[in-house]
Amino acid sequence: MALTVNKLMVVGAGQMGSGIAQVAAEAGLKVYLNDISEEYVNRGIANITKILSKNVAKGRITEAEKDEILARITPSTSLSDASSCDMAVEAATENMEIKTQIFKNLDAALPTDAILASNTSSLPITELGAVTNRPDRVIGMHFMNPVPVMKLVEIIRGLATSDEVYDTVHALAERMGKVGVLVNDFPGFVSNRILLPMINEAIYCVYEGVATPEAIDEVMKLGMNHPMGPLTLADFIGLDTCLAIMEVLHEGLGDSKYRPCPLLRKYVKAGWLGKKTGRGFYVYE
Ligand SMILES: CC(=O)CC(=O)SCCNC(=O)CCNC(=O)[C@H](O)C(C)(C)COP(=O)(O)OP(=O)(O)OC[C@H]1O[C@@H](n2cnc3c(N)ncnc32)[C@H](O)[C@@H]1OP(=O)(O)O
Ligand SMILES: NC(=O)C1=CN([C@@H]2O[C@H](COP(=O)(O)OP(=O)(O)OC[C@H]3O[C@@H](n4cnc5c(N)ncnc54)[C@H](OP(=O)(O)O)[C@@H]3O)[C@@H](O)[C@H]2O)C=CC1
């Protein structure tokens, strides 16, 4: 049976965390948006405000509704704020050490029956569950970018995830206007097991001089009707996140077909992380 979630903590106020906080607040939940520093939380809230203001300008919501949504979001820089929450969704950097530490801290802070979800793109939910004292209440809730626009939430059951937790997260996704799709806990799940090798192959095409980034993107947009070419999409996701996902696929599935392209590694080492740093395969103003 599904439980009702009223108060949610979102950990990580980057592009995904701020999107998740927005759709949760739009669905009527009270939300703590948490990050390491106040500056990052404020940046996340500024992004949400910008998108809501656009929705006001488009006549989709009123100024008063915008204010009500924003009033449901409370900034947080302390995980102890989770003590009053029914659930937390972790959306911090795609790194197992960082996520493991957050899961341990959230496990200590949340009420014992609260649900602990991760928005990870690829990392093992079962392993995250195992560092807590509540593996039955740990689950993957994988939103797509940009969160307010994309319909899918991939729901990943760990080995120990209970039916009650799955039902609750599925119902919560629906309440947020999304469609939940159940998948099992394998590296990259379904979405990124299929998407990221395509992006990596597009990067190999640049690396091997098959064509320019612009030409590769045009081929996939005009030839396959993709809304964004794979290199524009890689820049949009973040090249650090793309590399982290390829590493998980490579190590987790043990097949050389998942080896990350050396050019992807080089860009990440250079700090060219895509749109978020102003430079990736393209330059952003
Ligand atoms: C890595 C992972 O783990 C998993 C992932 O998420 S992989 C990434 C999955 N996402 C994708 O594949 C996205 C592919 N791209 C697209 O679907 C589209 O290009 C797009 C939706 C991002 C933009 O659409 P577009 O038609 O090219 O541009 P545009 O007309 O400006 O935007 C369409 C709508 O999206 C909204 N939008 C665009 N970017 C947005 C953002 N970052 N945040 C919120 N809303 C956004 C716009 O405001 C616009 O809304 P309205 O229709 O209500 O006016
Ligand atoms: N980008 C995408 O398209 C998608 C990403 N995801 C997943 O969502 C997660 C977040 O990705 P995304 O939002 O793109 O990344 P961003 O880099 O935009 O945001 C990550 C945020 O987490 C913060 N953070 C790092 N460590 C901690 C911590 N210990 N406590 C609290 N916050 C922390 C970062 O702060 P700082 O800047 O200081 O490091 C940053 O603000 C990743 O797991 C990613 O794989 C899932 C779907 C799509």
Side-chain angles (χ1 to χ4, degrees):
M1 209 187 67
L3 307 171
T4 305
V5 178
N6 294 312
K7 202 164 176 190
L8 179 76
M9 173 174 271
V10 180
V11 180
Q15 53 180 343
M16 294 306 292
S18 59
I20 296 166
Q22 180 189 328
V23 295
E26 284 172 344
L29 277 80
K30 290 203 166 141
V31 183
Y32 276 117
L33 181 56
N34 172 283
D35 207 304
I36 305 164
S37 79
E38 223 171 296
E39 185 195 336
Y40 298 136
V41 181
N42 290 340
R43 194 181 51 193
I45 291 178
N47 280 338
I48 298 171
T49 308
K50 205 169 94 188
I51 295 165
L52 292 178
S53 298
K54 271 194 195 164
N55 288 343
V56 173
K58 286 175 189 163
R60 298 222 167 90
I61 55 171
T62 63
E63 193 68 38
E65 283 167 334
K66 173 187 138 186
D67 292 342
E68 281 166 23
I69 295 165
L70 286 172
R72 285 197 280 273
I73 304 175
T74 306
S76 159
T77 51
S78 167
L79 291 183
S80 60
D81 291 331
S83 63
S84 63
C85 294
D86 316 302
M87 178 168 164
V89 179
E90 169 279 316
T93 311
E94 187 75 347
N95 173 296
M96 196 59 180
E97 268 172 51
I98 293 175
K99 291 196 191 285
T100 302
Q101 196 52 54
I102 293 172
F103 264 61
K104 284 183 183 161
N105 294 341
L106 279 174
D107 189 36
L110 284 163
T112 46
D113 57 350
I115 296 174
L116 222 174
S118 177
N119 182 55
T120 177
S121 295
S122 59
L123 292 163
I125 300 303
T126 304
E127 227 174 294
L128 288 173
V131 304
T132 72
N133 292 311
R134 64 181 88 202
D136 57 316
R137 307 197 76 70
V138 170
I139 192 162
M141 190 176 191
H142 184 205
F143 291 83
M144 301 294 126
N145 190 11
V147 180
V149 179
M150 307 301 281
K151 278 290 190 196
L152 176 70
V153 174
E154 211 177 20
I155 304 178
I156 303 104
R157 284 189 81 141
L159 212 49
T161 310
S162 72
D163 290 343
E164 182 185 61
V165 167
Y166 170 73
D167 290 344
T168 301
V169 168
H170 192 271
L172 179 62
E174 272 186 1
R175 194 173 152 200
M176 292 175 173
K178 308 293 179 196
V179 177
V181 176
L182 171 65
V183 308
N184 285 323
D185 188 18
F186 280 85
F189 319 126
V190 170
S191 54
N192 287 323
R193 179 146 175 190
I194 296 173
L195 177 68
L196 259 293
M198 183 197 70
I199 288 176
N200 197 45
E201 205 56 37
I203 301 172
Y204 266 109
C205 287
V206 181
Y207 182 60
E208 292 172 6
V210 180
T212 61
E214 289 84 356
I216 293 163
D217 278 350
E218 280 299 89
V219 166
M220 297 307 285
K221 276 199 306 184
L222 302 182
M224 284 78 193
N225 250 359
H226 288 198
M228 278 175 172
L231 299 163
T232 304
L233 184 56
D235 275 358
F236 180 60
I237 292 169
L239 299 188
D240 51 342
T241 303
C242 290
L243 178 59
I245 298 169
M246 285 310 298
E247 301 275 27
V248 170
L249 291 176
H250 193 206
E251 198 190 313
L253 298 165
D255 191 323
S256 65
K257 74 180 176 185
Y258 299 111
R259 70 207 179 286
C261 179
L263 189 63
L264 175 59
R265 287 190 194 286
K266 194 183 244 184
Y267 277 24
V268 172
K269 286 217 171 99
W272 295 8
L273 305 185
K275 212 171 165 197
K276 64 184 167 187
T277 57
R279 180 156 202 175
F281 290 97
Y282 300 96
V283 177
Y284 303 85
E285 296 306 315

